[in-house]
Amino acid sequence: MNYNWNWGIFFQPNPMGTGTYLDMLLSGLALTLKTAALAWVIALITGSIVGVMRTLPSKGANWFGFAYVEFFRNMPLLVQLFLWFFVLPELLPKAAGLWLKQLPNAPFWTAAIGVGLFMSARVAVQLQAGIGSLPRGQRMAATALGLTTVQGYRYVLLPMAFRIILPPLTSEFLNTIKNTAVAITIGLLELTGQARSMQEFSFQVFEAFTAATILYLLVNAVVVTAMRFLERWVAIPGYITGK
Amino acid sequence: MLGNFDFDVIRRALPYLFYEGMTFTLTLTALAALGGLVFGTALALMRLSGLKLLGRIAGLYVDFMRSLPLVLVIFWFYFLVPYIGQWLTGASRPISVGAFASSLITFIMFEAAYFSEIMRAGIQSISRGQPAAASALGLTYAQTMRYVVLPQAFRNMLPVLITQTIVLFQDTSLVYVLSITDFLGAASKVAQRDGRLVEMYLFAAIVYFTISCIASFGVRRLQSRIAIIR
Amino acid sequence: MIEISHVDKWYSPTFQVLTDCTTSVAKGEVVVVCGPSGSGKSTLIKCVNALEPFQKGDISIDGIKVNDTKTNLSKLRSRVGMVFQHFELFPHLKIIDNLCLAQEKVLGRAHDKAVTKGMALLERVGLKEHAQKFPAQLSGGQQQRVAIARALAMDPIAMLFDEPTSALDPEMISEVLDVMVDLAREGMTMMVVTHEMGFARKVANRVIFMDRGEIVEDAPKDDFFGKPRSDRAQKFLSKILSH
């Protein structure tokens, strides 16, 4: 393979004047984590609301939840980002559209909200499955004790459902981190984006992508380990999950 | 605003969008699904083979692929494949393989990791009592797999495999980062040329949505049918 | 105390589960409901505290109509204890917290008052030393005794039992029945769906026999066991008493 390896490239200054190439990648990593964190908060909150709606004894709520999930699940994430980024400002009243377009950090906000809503549909599906996997009698027992629907969800159904879906939620969180890379298409300089620009400036393709790959693997390992601890932390004595 | 929404832009672009773009997208989806299925089956068999080393290699590959963003993998293969081609053919310089071949290899390698996990889960979802009952009846290992385990496992995983293919269909839009003319790429090119982003992206969204919706509706039908059989 | 008059319930015009059910449970009375599986007895008892809706007829508890949209169902249910076939303890809560949850959230009792009450009831069902354990760490019989204590913690005016022993291993049935017999002897108003005819003989005032959604027989205990009037009840009795 006649390729000029140059692993020292990471310690050479980058052309942006922001330190070395390594600094460039690390700032990309920081942006990836920041975007993913905000997206995950959005996904968890809206996903939980929609997931609960899908399990309520109300036809209207069920239907809304169903439509919401189908809407966000049946379009490529990339297309959704384009809709938020390019199309939405044009469809709004002129002033609002202009304000949106001139928003500083527009790619960041678009990515966080876009990825967040995209992932919220998947969180909703997981939560619905989690609630659905609880014995029907649990809801009845809560009702029979006089708990209201809200109290039943708050104190009985959700604490168990979230424990049950913790492992799939871990993968969805990892997916959220990975999906922020799609925002490279709207100009977000997250980790993949920084690796790409390092490759364009330095022509050291494989060094740049190797570094990004290692960083993604590291993030994965950290998240997986942290979630293992969380799973053990919330485990219920004597209760075998996944039965 | 919608007041000056130009349907004609879409109408004029239709042949280009579908003959060029959608053909690329669907061909890529179909071939990648097929290749991913073959390679994914191999990976799943490696992991279930009981041979430690083989299982470890397959496991590492699957975990590795599943840890990376697809966009990064697309870039990787785009730059790596020419060098691998050079190495394989002994050519004097990296060979150019073209956008289609490069993305096809990417998606096969990437999807195989996901397909193999679905298959592994499908086979493992069969309760241990089933093979036990089959051998108690005197069936051989091969007969047990052929008549008892695999038919049930296949039923469990078929809907999931199709769902994953729908995800693959949507994911192929990411070849946009290589400026390839898939369906979204075609829409984007028209959008830029005519300055009609709203029309073209909305139209692309509706097309992706419709196709995925119909396909996932089909999966649900299939699932309920399988559920009745059980 | 509990008045059930002309109750009809159907899932579709061709699928009737309850037909013209009329009976009552007076204050301090113990009524046992029996019948073959699918006879509608569990459905009937769940209609009493409106866990299952019904289409025709009336049910009232202590003069309050359960099928009136103006009735505060949560409040009504909190005054009627219910024990389920599968216990339905809340797996993520300690035994004592299972007893306190509804006391605090529904009745608004202070935490220390709820704990005192809960501990007293646990002592009564012989499980005081298990207060800090989780449900999955207890045997089925113990869990069902906790479930009875949980219902009693609400100071109910009546108790509903929906096949309380049919999910238990045979050796655990008597520990649960003992608690129920004590309760009956103390004058608790009870409606009990069960196949335990020994229990019925011991403490029931009346026995109701249901088949195909209808109340076929509703007689004082001695009449019922002495000489059931209907063929169906006779057949049923000979089947469950024959071994």
Side-chain angles (χ1 to χ4, degrees):
Chain A
M1 202 161 135
N2 53 354
Y3 174 80
N4 295 318
W5 293 96
N6 175 15
W7 292 102
I9 185 78
F10 293 115
F11 304 103
Q12 287 165 22
N14 67 46
M16 334 280 283
T18 53
T20 61
Y21 276 112
L22 184 61
D23 292 329
M24 204 168 125
L25 289 178
L26 290 179
S27 81
L29 175 65
L31 192 55
T32 288
L33 296 179
K34 224 168 78 177
T35 316
L38 181 56
W40 185 239
V41 171
I42 294 170
L44 264 190
I45 295 173
T46 45
S48 299
I49 295 169
V50 175
V52 165
M53 287 179 83
R54 290 188 69 166
T55 64
L56 285 175
S58 141
K59 281 240 165 70
N62 290 170
W63 192 88
F64 176 85
F66 173 79
Y68 182 96
V69 167
E70 292 304 307
F71 181 84
F72 286 104
R73 227 173 30 168
N74 283 323
M75 258 186 271
L77 173 58
L78 177 53
V79 172
Q80 293 188 29
L81 289 186
F82 279 4
L83 287 186
W84 300 133
F85 198 69
F86 297 116
V87 177
L88 182 69
E90 306 295 332
L91 297 184
L92 290 173
K94 260 219 167 74
L98 201 66
W99 174 81
L100 253 185
K101 280 190 220 170
Q102 290 169 343
L103 207 65
N105 283 335
F108 168 74
W109 295 110
T110 311
I113 295 171
V115 173
L117 292 179
F118 178 77
M119 293 307 299
S120 72
R122 307 181 57 144
V123 171
V125 172
Q126 299 289 2
L127 185 61
Q128 181 199 8
I131 295 172
S133 75
L134 299 174
R136 226 170 70 92
Q138 288 282 302
R139 191 192 289 267
M140 276 202 181
T143 312
L145 282 167
L147 296 172
T148 60
T149 305
V150 175
Q151 287 174 324
Y153 272 93
R154 163 76 184 79
Y155 298 111
V156 176
L157 299 179
L158 290 181
M160 276 314 290
F162 272 114
R163 279 182 173 87
I164 290 171
I165 64 166
L166 209 49
L169 276 191
T170 304
S171 346
E172 297 301 0
F173 180 46
L174 293 172
N175 285 337
T176 307
I177 299 174
K178 288 185 279 173
N179 277 336
T180 55
V182 177
I184 189 178
T185 54
I186 52 170
L188 187 74
L189 282 174
E190 41 64 67
L191 184 49
T192 302
Q194 292 288 21
R196 175 91 165 121
S197 37
M198 171 171 170
Q199 168 253 320
E200 277 171 343
F201 290 131
S202 70
F203 301 107
Q204 299 304 130
V205 191
F206 298 123
E207 291 87 340
F209 290 148
T210 303
T213 300
I214 291 170
L215 289 174
Y216 277 114
L217 292 179
L218 273 177
V219 170
N220 254 280
V222 170
V223 171
V224 168
T225 316
M227 291 303 278
R228 289 257 164 79
F229 273 105
L230 183 63
E231 273 170 45
R232 221 166 298 158
W233 172 260
V234 300
I236 298 159
Y239 187 88
I240 303 134
T241 41
K243 71 176 169 185
Chain B
M1 288 290 283
L2 281 175
N4 46 33
F5 195 91
D6 187 356
F7 287 101
D8 207 44
V9 172
I10 299 172
R11 199 189 52 75
R12 272 181 281 127
L14 281 179
Y16 175 63
L17 286 179
F18 282 91
Y19 286 131
E20 294 251 336
M22 194 47 93
T23 308
F24 183 99
T25 296
L26 290 179
T27 317
L28 181 58
T29 305
L31 292 180
L34 212 64
L37 210 56
V38 172
F39 185 30
T41 311
L43 286 170
L45 289 177
M46 280 167 81
R47 292 192 84 170
L48 295 168
S49 66
L51 299 170
K52 273 237 169 69
L53 183 70
L54 221 53
R56 271 300 273 281
I57 295 172
L60 272 178
Y61 177 84
V62 170
D63 288 346
F64 180 73
M65 273 300 171
R66 282 160 40 105
S67 303
L68 298 180
L70 178 51
V71 180
L72 183 64
V73 179
I74 290 174
F75 283 137
W76 256 119
F77 278 100
Y78 182 69
F79 291 106
L80 197 60
V81 167
Y83 284 93
I84 296 175
Q86 176 196 15
W87 179 67
L88 284 177
T89 58
S92 58
R93 45 177 58 237
I95 58 170
S96 91
V97 289
F100 183 77
S102 162
S103 10
L104 181 57
I105 293 169
T106 309
F107 279 97
I108 288 176
M109 303 296 275
F110 190 76
E111 290 302 324
Y114 288 82
F115 279 132
S116 83
E117 280 299 277
I118 293 168
M119 286 189 268
R120 195 167 68 110
I123 290 173
Q124 285 178 339
S125 71
I126 307 304
S127 82
R128 281 167 190 278
Q130 288 290 313
S135 5
L137 287 169
L139 297 184
T140 64
Y141 176 77
Q143 286 172 324
T144 303
M145 285 309 255
R146 165 73 184 79
Y147 295 110
V148 180
V149 176
L150 289 181
Q152 296 184 54
F154 187 67
R155 241 170 240 179
N156 286 351
M157 49 199 199
L158 190 62
V160 196
L161 286 175
I162 302 175
T163 305
Q164 181 61 31
T165 307
I166 300 172
V167 173
L168 165 65
F169 164 70
Q170 297 182 11
D171 278 349
T172 56
S173 66
L174 287 174
V175 298
Y176 174 90
V177 297
L178 301 179
S179 311
I180 290 173
T181 312
D182 72 321
F183 182 69
L184 181 64
S188 175
K189 276 169 193 161
V190 177
Q192 313 282 351
R193 186 195 64 199
D194 297 352
R196 287 290 176 182
L197 270 60
V198 175
E199 288 85 347
M200 294 317 292
Y201 287 146
L202 271 180
F203 181 67
I206 291 168
V207 170
Y208 276 111
F209 181 78
T210 312
I211 295 177
S212 305
C213 258
I214 293 171
S216 35
F217 177 76
V219 173
R220 268 197 295 274
R221 284 275 308 253
L222 184 73
Q223 244 164 346
S224 57
R225 237 192 225 181
I226 289 173
I228 291 167
I229 294 170
R230 227 181 255 163
Chain C
M1 178 70 67
I2 301 171
E3 298 290 337
I4 301 170
S5 63
H6 306 293
V7 168
D8 276 12
K9 177 179 172 68
W10 58 83
Y11 290 116
S12 72
T14 52
F15 188 17
Q16 182 111 6
V17 281
L18 293 177
T19 309
D20 197 27
C21 292
T22 301
T23 188
S24 65
V25 184
K27 189 167 190 302
E29 203 177 19
V30 176
V31 172
V32 163
V33 185
C34 63
S37 61
S39 60
K41 52 196 194 306
S42 278
T43 309
L44 181 66
I45 203 170
K46 282 183 183 130
C47 285
V48 171
N49 60 352
L51 289 181
E52 292 271 4
F54 51 93
Q55 281 74 31
K56 259 174 81 180
D58 286 308
I59 296 180
S60 65
I61 300 172
D62 201 19
I64 301 163
K65 251 168 112 174
V66 302
N67 52 316
D68 186 339
T69 46
K70 275 169 282 181
T71 301
N72 182 344
L73 275 180
S74 165
K75 198 172 162 201
L76 184 67
R77 285 175 180 136
S78 71
R79 298 175 63 204
V80 181
M82 178 139 192
V83 176
F84 296 85
Q85 183 178 0
H86 295 285
F87 335 133
E88 304 304 347
L89 296 180
F90 305 137
H92 61 297
L93 298 178
K94 287 180 183 164
I95 298 303
I96 185 66
D97 295 329
N98 259 282
L99 269 72
C100 289
L101 179 71
Q103 288 191 65
E104 292 170 33
K105 302 302 170 193
V106 179
L107 302 180
R109 277 189 194 143
H111 181 65
D112 50 340
K113 281 219 176 103
V115 171
T116 314
K117 174 106 195 165
M119 289 309 287
L121 283 163
L122 281 179
E123 181 158 26
R124 179 173 162 178
V125 299
L127 293 167
K128 197 180 170 192
E129 65 278 21
H130 297 289
Q132 297 304 319
K133 288 191 181 165
F134 285 88
Q137 295 171 303
L138 267 54
S139 73
Q142 291 172 324
Q143 290 193 47
Q144 194 61 301
R145 277 143 70 198
V146 172
I148 295 173
R150 178 174 73 179
L152 291 175
M154 305 294 284
D155 295 319
I157 54 172
M159 289 278 287
L160 308 173
F161 292 84
D162 183 11
E163 306 208 27
T165 56
S166 43
L168 292 175
D169 291 335
E171 75 273 17
M172 295 173 182
I173 292 178
S174 63
E175 61 184 86
V176 172
L177 289 180
D178 286 348
V179 172
M180 290 167 61
V181 167
D182 285 348
L183 207 56
R185 294 204 166 129
E186 283 164 27
M188 175 61 80
T189 308
M190 290 163 69
M191 185 168 173
V192 185
V193 172
T194 186
H195 288 159
E196 296 294 331
M197 289 302 126
F199 172 80
R201 280 219 163 92
K202 223 184 236 173
V203 293
N205 301 100
R206 279 181 21 247
V207 179
I208 292 173
F209 173 75
M210 288 185 73
D211 193 20
R212 293 176 216 154
E214 286 175 77
I215 293 180
V216 179
E217 196 127 357
D218 184 348
K221 171 181 63 182
D222 294 333
D223 292 3
F224 182 79
F225 287 116
K227 201 170 188 276
R229 279 163 288 184
S230 70
D231 272 2
R232 282 192 268 178
Q234 241 157 10
K235 267 191 196 139
F236 175 74
L237 271 180
S238 71
K239 262 185 207 154
I240 64 167
L241 296 176
S242 67
H243 49 88

